[in-house]
Amino acid sequence: MTALLGLAQAMSLALTLQATPSAEAWTWTLYADNGPLVLANEVPDTPRLRTTLECAPGSSIVRLTLYDAAPAEGIAVVTSGAASVNAETQPRRGQLQTMLRADHPVFAAFLANGKLQIAVGEQSSAIEIDRANLSKLRRFAELCTG
């Protein structure tokens, strides 16, 4: 009886761990089919998102949405490397959202190093795209600027 109880607990734990995506499941995915271009930091095949960059092809205007940042309204200081820009932020459905130009020096620095920092008052959030996914960011920028 004890062995069966132990087996049931082990199976329950295994199912729980299997249902919980690991940190390694997060990836950057470029959606460039129909409609707007989207580069998403997501857990594939789930609704879980950390960050999205969205752009109409050829527009050079990128909407950046941070899903795990506290929503804030005001002016953000967006930096990458030595470049920075002030951008208006808006809370949207519990997310932090701002707009950037894909042809701005801060976005060019982001393309080079994969790091972007967004600070609104005391709140700060970072986006980091690893070297293996920088090509997706560059392709997104290329399609966005047209």
Side-chain angles (χ1 to χ4, degrees):
M1 181 70 160
T2 305
L4 285 176
L5 197 56
L7 180 60
Q9 288 174 334
M11 289 180 67
S12 175
L13 177 62
L15 288 174
T16 300
L17 292 174
Q18 184 178 19
T20 306
S22 69
E24 296 169 3
W26 288 95
T27 189
W28 287 95
T29 306
L30 177 60
Y31 297 97
D33 297 333
N34 298 328
L37 305 165
V38 178
L39 182 62
N41 187 212
E42 65 179 354
V43 175
D45 302 321
T46 73
R48 296 182 64 199
L49 294 166
R50 283 188 185 147
T51 306
T52 58
L53 291 94
E54 186 177 337
C55 182
S59 72
S60 295
I61 299 173
V62 178
R63 180 176 34 221
L64 171 65
T65 305
L66 302 171
Y67 292 83
D68 58 358
E73 190 167 355
I75 301 297
V77 177
V78 182
T79 58
S80 183
S84 68
V85 66
N86 291 340
E88 184 179 351
T89 62
Q90 296 180 347
R92 184 170 176 243
R93 292 183 271 157
Q95 304 139 9
L96 177 66
Q97 190 173 88
T98 192
M99 305 290 260
L100 298 172
R101 297 250 345 145
D103 53 3
H104 190 279
V106 77
F107 207 83
F110 181 40
L111 291 174
N113 66 28
K115 297 177 183 179
L116 194 69
Q117 189 77 27
I118 300 99
V120 182
E122 298 296 314
Q123 175 187 326
S124 181
S125 298
I127 299 170
E128 190 164 341
I129 299 180
D130 60 331
R131 188 173 296 275
N133 287 296
L134 273 177
S135 62
K136 294 174 188 173
L137 176 61
R138 291 179 183 133
R139 180 68 178 146
F140 171 85
E142 178 184 308
L143 294 170
C144 182
T145 56

Short mmCIF file of all heavy atoms in Angstrom, two decimals, residues 75-100:
data_model
loop_
_atom_site.label_atom_id
_atom_site.label_comp_id
_atom_site.label_asym_id
_atom_site.label_seq_id
_atom_site.Cartn_x
_atom_site.Cartn_y
_atom_site.Cartn_z
N ILE A 75 6.92 59.33 -19.21
CA ILE A 75 8.02 59.34 -20.17
C ILE A 75 9.06 58.31 -19.73
O ILE A 75 9.52 58.33 -18.59
CB ILE A 75 8.67 60.74 -20.26
CG1 ILE A 75 7.63 61.78 -20.68
CG2 ILE A 75 9.85 60.72 -21.22
CD1 ILE A 75 7.03 61.56 -22.06
N ALA A 76 9.41 57.43 -20.65
CA ALA A 76 10.44 56.43 -20.39
C ALA A 76 11.75 56.89 -21.00
O ALA A 76 11.76 57.57 -22.03
CB ALA A 76 10.04 55.10 -21.01
N VAL A 77 12.83 56.53 -20.36
CA VAL A 77 14.16 56.69 -20.94
C VAL A 77 14.54 55.31 -21.45
O VAL A 77 14.66 54.36 -20.68
CB VAL A 77 15.18 57.22 -19.92
CG1 VAL A 77 16.56 57.32 -20.55
CG2 VAL A 77 14.74 58.56 -19.35
N VAL A 78 14.69 55.21 -22.76
CA VAL A 78 15.03 53.93 -23.40
C VAL A 78 16.48 54.02 -23.82
O VAL A 78 16.87 54.95 -24.52
CB VAL A 78 14.11 53.67 -24.61
CG1 VAL A 78 14.44 52.33 -25.24
CG2 VAL A 78 12.64 53.74 -24.22
N THR A 79 17.30 53.06 -23.36
CA THR A 79 18.72 53.09 -23.67
C THR A 79 19.19 51.74 -24.21
O THR A 79 18.65 50.70 -23.88
CB THR A 79 19.58 53.44 -22.43
OG1 THR A 79 19.32 52.48 -21.41
CG2 THR A 79 19.27 54.82 -21.91
N SER A 80 20.21 51.84 -25.05
CA SER A 80 20.93 50.66 -25.53
C SER A 80 22.34 51.14 -25.84
O SER A 80 22.52 52.07 -26.63
CB SER A 80 20.27 50.07 -26.77
OG SER A 80 20.95 48.89 -27.17
N GLY A 81 23.31 50.53 -25.20
CA GLY A 81 24.68 51.01 -25.35
C GLY A 81 24.75 52.46 -24.92
O GLY A 81 24.20 52.84 -23.90
N ALA A 82 25.38 53.31 -25.72
CA ALA A 82 25.51 54.73 -25.40
C ALA A 82 24.33 55.56 -25.90
O ALA A 82 24.23 56.74 -25.58
CB ALA A 82 26.80 55.27 -26.00
N ALA A 83 23.42 54.97 -26.66
CA ALA A 83 22.29 55.71 -27.24
C ALA A 83 21.10 55.69 -26.29
O ALA A 83 20.86 54.72 -25.58
CB ALA A 83 21.90 55.09 -28.57
N SER A 84 20.34 56.78 -26.31
CA SER A 84 19.12 56.84 -25.51
C SER A 84 18.09 57.72 -26.19
O SER A 84 18.41 58.54 -27.06
CB SER A 84 19.40 57.36 -24.10
OG SER A 84 19.78 58.72 -24.14
N VAL A 85 16.83 57.54 -25.79
CA VAL A 85 15.73 58.32 -26.32
C VAL A 85 14.64 58.38 -25.25
O VAL A 85 14.50 57.44 -24.46
CB VAL A 85 15.19 57.72 -27.65
CG1 VAL A 85 14.54 56.37 -27.43
CG2 VAL A 85 14.23 58.68 -28.34
N ASN A 86 13.91 59.48 -25.22
CA ASN A 86 12.74 59.59 -24.36
C ASN A 86 11.53 59.16 -25.17
O ASN A 86 11.38 59.57 -26.33
CB ASN A 86 12.54 61.01 -23.85
CG ASN A 86 13.62 61.43 -22.89
OD1 ASN A 86 14.30 60.60 -22.29
ND2 ASN A 86 13.78 62.72 -22.71
N ALA A 87 10.68 58.34 -24.57
CA ALA A 87 9.49 57.84 -25.27
C ALA A 87 8.31 57.82 -24.32
O ALA A 87 8.46 57.46 -23.14
CB ALA A 87 9.75 56.43 -25.81
N GLU A 88 7.17 58.20 -24.82
CA GLU A 88 5.95 58.18 -24.02
C GLU A 88 5.51 56.74 -23.78
O GLU A 88 5.58 55.91 -24.69
CB GLU A 88 4.84 58.94 -24.75
CG GLU A 88 3.57 59.06 -23.96
CD GLU A 88 2.50 59.85 -24.69
OE1 GLU A 88 2.78 60.45 -25.73
OE2 GLU A 88 1.36 59.84 -24.21
N THR A 89 5.10 56.45 -22.55
CA THR A 89 4.60 55.12 -22.23
C THR A 89 3.12 55.20 -21.90
O THR A 89 2.63 56.25 -21.46
CB THR A 89 5.33 54.48 -21.03
OG1 THR A 89 5.11 55.28 -19.88
CG2 THR A 89 6.80 54.33 -21.31
N GLN A 90 2.44 54.09 -22.10
CA GLN A 90 1.04 54.00 -21.76
C GLN A 90 0.77 52.63 -21.17
O GLN A 90 1.25 51.62 -21.70
CB GLN A 90 0.17 54.18 -23.00
CG GLN A 90 0.30 55.54 -23.63
CD GLN A 90 -0.57 55.66 -24.87
OE1 GLN A 90 -1.10 54.70 -25.40
NE2 GLN A 90 -0.72 56.89 -25.34
N PRO A 91 0.02 52.60 -20.06
CA PRO A 91 -0.41 51.29 -19.57
C PRO A 91 -1.51 50.77 -20.48
O PRO A 91 -2.38 51.52 -20.91
CB PRO A 91 -0.94 51.60 -18.17
CG PRO A 91 -1.29 53.05 -18.19
CD PRO A 91 -0.44 53.69 -19.23
N ARG A 92 -1.43 49.52 -20.83
CA ARG A 92 -2.43 48.93 -21.70
C ARG A 92 -2.72 47.51 -21.24
O ARG A 92 -1.84 46.65 -21.31
CB ARG A 92 -1.94 48.91 -23.15
CG ARG A 92 -2.97 48.41 -24.13
CD ARG A 92 -2.49 48.65 -25.57
NE ARG A 92 -3.45 48.08 -26.47
CZ ARG A 92 -3.17 47.09 -27.29
NH1 ARG A 92 -1.97 46.58 -27.35
NH2 ARG A 92 -4.11 46.61 -28.08
N ARG A 93 -3.90 47.28 -20.75
CA ARG A 93 -4.32 45.96 -20.26
C ARG A 93 -3.29 45.33 -19.33
O ARG A 93 -2.93 44.17 -19.48
CB ARG A 93 -4.63 45.02 -21.43
CG ARG A 93 -5.86 45.44 -22.21
CD ARG A 93 -6.17 44.46 -23.30
NE ARG A 93 -5.44 44.89 -24.48
CZ ARG A 93 -5.11 44.10 -25.48
NH1 ARG A 93 -5.42 42.85 -25.46
NH2 ARG A 93 -4.45 44.59 -26.52
N GLY A 94 -2.79 46.12 -18.38
CA GLY A 94 -1.84 45.59 -17.41
C GLY A 94 -0.43 45.43 -17.92
O GLY A 94 0.39 44.75 -17.31
N GLN A 95 -0.12 46.05 -19.05
CA GLN A 95 1.22 45.94 -19.64
C GLN A 95 1.81 47.33 -19.81
O GLN A 95 1.09 48.32 -19.80
CB GLN A 95 1.13 45.27 -21.02
CG GLN A 95 0.47 43.92 -21.00
CD GLN A 95 -0.45 43.72 -22.19
OE1 GLN A 95 -0.49 44.51 -23.12
NE2 GLN A 95 -1.23 42.67 -22.15
N LEU A 96 3.11 47.38 -20.00
CA LEU A 96 3.79 48.63 -20.29
C LEU A 96 4.04 48.68 -21.79
O LEU A 96 4.57 47.73 -22.36
CB LEU A 96 5.13 48.70 -19.54
CG LEU A 96 5.99 49.92 -19.82
CD1 LEU A 96 5.31 51.18 -19.32
CD2 LEU A 96 7.35 49.77 -19.16
N GLN A 97 3.64 49.79 -22.42
CA GLN A 97 3.77 49.88 -23.87
C GLN A 97 4.38 51.23 -24.25
O GLN A 97 4.06 52.25 -23.66
CB GLN A 97 2.40 49.73 -24.51
CG GLN A 97 2.46 49.56 -26.00
CD GLN A 97 1.08 49.25 -26.54
OE1 GLN A 97 0.33 50.15 -26.83
NE2 GLN A 97 0.77 47.96 -26.64
N THR A 98 5.27 51.21 -25.24
CA THR A 98 5.86 52.42 -25.77
C THR A 98 6.14 52.23 -27.25
O THR A 98 6.07 51.12 -27.76
CB THR A 98 7.14 52.82 -24.99
OG1 THR A 98 7.52 54.15 -25.36
CG2 THR A 98 8.28 51.86 -25.25
N MET A 99 6.45 53.33 -27.92
CA MET A 99 6.75 53.30 -29.35
C MET A 99 8.18 53.76 -29.57
O MET A 99 8.66 54.67 -28.89
CB MET A 99 5.81 54.23 -30.11
CG MET A 99 4.34 53.95 -29.87
SD MET A 99 3.79 52.44 -30.59
CE MET A 99 3.04 53.04 -32.06
N LEU A 100 8.86 53.12 -30.53
CA LEU A 100 10.22 53.49 -30.91
C LEU A 100 10.32 53.54 -32.43
O LEU A 100 9.57 52.86 -33.12
CB LEU A 100 11.22 52.44 -30.41
CG LEU A 100 11.35 52.21 -28.92
CD1 LEU A 100 12.23 51.00 -28.65
CD2 LEU A 100 11.92 53.44 -28.26
#
